[in-house]
Amino acid sequence: MKIPMYQIDAFTKKLFGGNPAAICHLPYWLDDETLQNIAIENNLAETGYFIKNENIYEIRWFMPHAEIDLCGHATLASAYVIFNYIDTKCTEVTFSSKSGILKAKKEDNGSITLDFPSRPPQEVEIPEEIFSALKAKPRGAFAARDLVITLSCEEEVLEAAPKLELLKELPYLCIILTAKGKQSDFVSRVFDANAHVLPEDPVTGSAHASLVPFWAEKLNKTNLKAFQLSKRGGELDCRLEGDRVFLSGYSVPYLTGEIEI
């Protein structure tokens, strides 16, 4: 069986920037073990899969070690694949996912806007593990699916080197470090202490489902510019509307081909 596969750099205008995702266009759903093995073989932060079901696409995302409930960059990459390789006349697409209905719209400037659920984090006590893992003093902790840790400035986020082995037992998928930005409204870095391949995610769309409502409240504005301070770097234009978060970004194709299983 041959499956079309695309590798797309998401949330960037330049090749080798943003976050790479492998995207597989399936004729039907394969068993979970096969989907996981493909993700392991690809050895990227995320492999996204989608099938068409009438007028919508069903979408799933797999890290090399587990399936994830929501992934921004692989959804952006999937929309890019649909708009540019599968249905070139299409400008809007609806996805059905484990996090509900998601949408993607192709903008006139070439970017793609994602429509995601808002996941505002709630303030919690700073875990002791965070104090041990960070050199910088955390200012606060806020929890949703991920744990958002606020630091005092952009430099502390950029220079952070958390001891991830101390954070493996925390009940969160990712640990997000964030602060107010200099050239953007806010900056962040995102870590998965249990990831064997990429413990720091280059650009994390799903994390912004929590970061956007958090910073919208702090800054008293609903349109925000975000930058993820990973080595590859990523830019996101963000907007909060009620219980929805809109994330806009660009994508660049790296590879097109087929895999055979």
Side-chain angles (χ1 to χ4, degrees), residues 5 7 22 33-44 47 49 63-65 197 259-261:
M5 191 176 82
Q7 188 169 320
E33 182 180 3
T34 299
L35 298 178
Q36 189 66 69
N37 282 333
I38 294 171
I40 293 170
E41 191 77 8
N42 287 335
N43 206 33
L44 295 172
T47 296
Y49 305 94
M63 301 178 290
H65 61 285
V197 178
I259 60 173
E260 188 165 350
I261 59 173

Side-chain angles (χ1 to χ4, degrees), residues 69-98:
D69 68 322
L70 182 65
C71 177
H73 82 281
T75 305
L76 188 73
S78 295
Y80 181 90
V81 167
I82 293 168
F83 293 148
N84 290 276
Y85 298 101
I86 296 173
D87 188 351
T88 56
K89 294 182 179 180
C90 177
T91 58
E92 293 189 41
V93 61
T94 299
F95 294 105
S96 173
S97 78
K98 290 192 172 184

Side-chain angles (χ1 to χ4, degrees), residues 61 68-72 75 97 99 102 116-117 119 145 173 206 209:
W61 315 273
I68 193 173
D69 68 322
L70 182 65
C71 177
T75 305
S97 78
S99 291
L102 314 173
F116 272 22
R119 294 176 168 178
R145 181 197 72 175
L173 179 64
S206 60

Side-chain angles (χ1 to χ4, degrees), residues 2 9 19 22 62 66 68 71 77 82 95 98 100 122 143 164 198 204 218 220 226 232 239 244 249:
K2 293 184 178 180
D9 289 342
N19 203 350
F62 282 75
I68 193 173
C71 177
I82 293 168
F95 294 105
K98 290 192 172 184
Q122 303 301 313
L164 297 181
L198 291 170
T204 318
K218 294 290 182 184
N220 194 30
R232 292 174 66 102
R239 186 172 81 254
R244 305 298 293 183

Side-chain angles (χ1 to χ4, degrees), residues 226-251:
F227 194 80
Q228 196 155 327
L229 296 174
S230 65
K231 183 177 181 180
R232 292 174 66 102
E235 300 178 49
L236 304 91
D237 290 309
C238 311
R239 186 172 81 254
L240 180 67
E241 289 188 12
D243 63 354
R244 305 298 293 183
V245 166
F246 294 84
L247 309 172
S248 297
Y250 292 85
S251 294

